Amino acid sequence: MTAIDPTAHLTAEQIEELGRELDAIRDEVIADRGEKDAAYIRKVISAQRKLELVSRGVLLFSFFPPAWLIGTAGLSVAKIMDNMEIGHNVLHGQWDWMRDPKIHSTTWEWDHVSPSDQWKHSHNELHHTYTNVIGKDNDLGYGIMRVDEDQKWHPFHLGQPLWNFLNACFFEYGIAAYDLELGKNLHKRRRKNPEFRARAKAVGRKIRKQVLKDYVIHPLLSGPSFLTTLAATFTANLVRNIWTHSVIMCGHFPEGVQVFERRSIRGETRGQWYLRQMMGSANISGSKAMHFMTGNLSHQIEHHLFPDLPSNRYAEVAVKVRALFEKYELEYVTGPLPKQVFSAWHKVFRLALPNKKPKVKRSDREQELIAA
């Protein structure tokens, strides 16, 4: 965490009471889930599929500029919906309680080059368990960025603004490589591991399927509009990737969000886990439309506290969660999208450079809290 621990004023008893209060919020929503929630996700899935179908139909005539613009915009929105409000949340098991085999985390496959089972392992099991723990949560900087002043600086970090920009443009491929843990598996001996080879083949099959759909079949169906449809599909994927990357960056990287050392989670209690999610996440304020287009990950704090609750309930949950932040005198990091994007990118540039000031030595009390 930062040199000055923003949770140091809380006693162990207060932290566990906070955990019980958050459990009560979760239990209340679970008891209240019902047909209204089920109707919501079915309506969203239906709307997304219709929008994608119509957009791809319009792009059959993408040789005409108005058709290209309308089709590309529609396909971009459809891909964002599939990725954010539907795919991400279905794969979290938010709708498993419906017992609908068509909308279930064990059967859902999304419009993404990363196979859903691999993504669920790296995201649900690792990222959400070890949120913002350096060396445990690979989502934190994706292994290509320095994310905290206490991390050792290397000349490689000078390029992290560029690495981050390229990762944003081709985000789905970056996620696939991240899910494979490609960095540590590039060694020849590791590449021969049967488990890694099987996962790599699964990613290869998914990439071929996505490329065939987006860059071969659909453009070919467009006939004389082949090249313009190809460009439209590439643009829609680019828009989806940059938007998704921006939302995720705003959720864990703005100034004010805490990172944690490995030793800080030894013997972590339920209340302490909740507290880490609260301090390691940030929200984006805005309209209902903006929240929808982020997959309700604009409520990132609430999502990390309750990753398996239906996303359409996060707005109401946020009111109660924010009240707990105020009660326990904690900072609720939030702000409009431009502010959060600027804050996250400012941090990317700032940490690309070596520290200009010596690290502030933590007090004995703060060291004890970290080790606890």
Side-chain angles (χ1 to χ4, degrees):
M1 296 182 75
T2 55
I4 300 175
D5 181 0
T7 68
H9 62 284
L10 297 178
T11 65
E13 291 76 16
Q14 285 177 311
I15 293 173
E16 296 314 305
E17 177 59 26
L18 170 62
R20 287 189 287 271
E21 291 186 77
L22 288 167
D23 277 337
I25 292 173
R26 181 178 184 275
D27 292 343
E28 183 179 353
V29 175
I30 287 178
D32 189 53
R33 291 179 308 195
E35 185 53 39
K36 185 178 179 180
D37 301 294
Y40 169 81
I41 190 60
R42 291 191 174 109
K43 181 179 179 180
V44 171
I45 292 172
S46 175
Q48 187 277 331
R49 289 175 176 171
K50 289 174 182 176
L51 178 59
E52 180 173 359
L53 182 62
V54 170
S55 299
R56 289 188 181 276
V58 171
L59 286 174
L60 296 178
F61 309 95
S62 60
F63 182 82
F64 301 101
W68 191 92
L69 289 171
I70 294 171
T72 303
L75 186 58
S76 299
V77 172
K79 282 179 171 288
I80 289 171
M81 289 173 63
D82 177 271
N83 197 160
M84 305 296 280
E85 182 66 350
I86 302 173
H88 172 273
N89 295 331
V90 170
L91 293 176
H92 259 297
Q94 293 182 7
W95 308 98
D96 287 1
W97 57 273
M98 293 166 55
R99 301 291 190 268
D100 185 339
K102 295 180 180 179
I103 312 175
H104 200 277
S105 62
T106 59
T107 59
W108 191 268
E109 195 56 73
W110 55 352
D111 182 20
H112 201 285
V113 299
S114 184
S116 60
D117 59 336
Q118 294 191 32
W119 181 86
K120 284 188 291 185
H121 170 71
S122 63
H123 186 81
N124 297 0
E125 297 176 25
L126 299 181
H127 169 58
H128 275 266
T129 300
Y130 302 111
T131 305
N132 282 30
V133 177
I134 298 175
K136 297 287 284 184
D137 178 12
N138 288 331
D139 269 33
L140 193 60
Y142 297 104
I144 59 174
M145 293 191 297
R146 181 170 177 250
V147 297
D148 184 68
E149 288 86 350
D150 286 351
Q151 282 185 285
K152 187 176 180 180
W153 181 87
H154 297 282
F156 172 82
H157 293 125
L158 287 171
Q160 72 180 33
L162 176 60
W163 318 145
N164 196 43
F165 173 73
L166 293 175
N167 188 38
C169 293
F170 302 98
F171 194 48
E172 61 177 322
Y173 291 93
I175 292 297
Y178 159 69
D179 291 345
L180 276 173
E181 297 181 288
L182 199 57
K184 76 175 187 180
N185 284 309
L186 286 176
H187 190 279
K188 185 176 180 180
R189 188 174 299 173
R190 286 181 178 269
R191 291 202 308 267
K192 292 182 177 180
N193 181 284
E195 182 183 349
F196 171 73
R197 290 171 66 90
R199 291 191 292 119
K201 287 181 180 178
V203 171
R205 287 193 296 269
K206 190 70 190 294
I207 290 175
R208 285 194 296 272
K209 179 180 178 181
Q210 293 297 113
V211 169
L212 186 66
K213 177 191 71 174
D214 276 350
Y215 300 119
V216 179
I217 295 176
H218 187 206
L220 282 175
L221 289 174
S222 301
S225 296
F226 177 89
L227 291 178
T228 49
T229 298
L230 190 71
T233 306
F234 177 82
T235 301
N237 281 326
L238 179 66
V239 170
R240 185 270 311 274
N241 287 339
I242 292 176
W243 175 258
T244 305
H245 178 272
S246 297
V247 170
I248 293 172
M249 280 280 291
C250 290
H252 291 293
F253 216 69
E255 301 288 355
V257 173
Q258 304 297 312
V259 296
F260 307 86
E261 298 178 3
R262 287 193 187 195
R263 60 181 178 176
S264 70
I265 64 171
R266 293 173 187 164
E268 189 175 60
T269 65
R270 176 72 167 172
Q272 290 169 336
W273 181 86
Y274 269 137
L275 186 60
R276 178 161 54 83
Q277 306 308 313
M278 295 167 75
M279 305 312 296
S281 306
N283 282 8
I284 306 169
S285 59
S287 66
K288 289 184 179 180
M290 193 280 298
H291 292 312
F292 176 78
M293 290 302 292
T294 67
N296 278 288
L297 291 182
S298 48
H299 302 294
Q300 187 73 240
I301 295 171
E302 289 71 29
H303 172 62
H304 263 266
L305 290 171
F306 315 116
D308 59 347
L309 291 187
S311 59
N312 62 309
R313 306 299 288 271
Y314 284 148
E316 64 184 78
V317 167
V319 177
K320 300 175 183 178
V321 169
R322 190 159 191 169
L324 289 180
F325 269 82
E326 294 175 359
K327 176 180 178 180
Y328 289 93
E329 300 179 353
L330 299 169
E331 182 184 5
Y332 191 84
V333 181
T334 187
L337 183 63
K339 175 189 174 183
Q340 298 297 73
V341 169
F342 176 82
S343 178
W345 273 97
H346 178 266
K347 193 172 182 181
V348 170
F349 278 92
R350 178 170 62 81
L351 294 175
L353 302 174
N355 294 346
K356 294 181 179 180
K357 297 180 180 179
K359 291 187 292 185
V360 178
K361 190 179 186 308
R362 294 185 174 97
S363 68
D364 293 339
R365 168 60 176 160
E366 289 163 350
Q367 293 284 12
E368 291 174 4
L369 287 169
I370 291 173

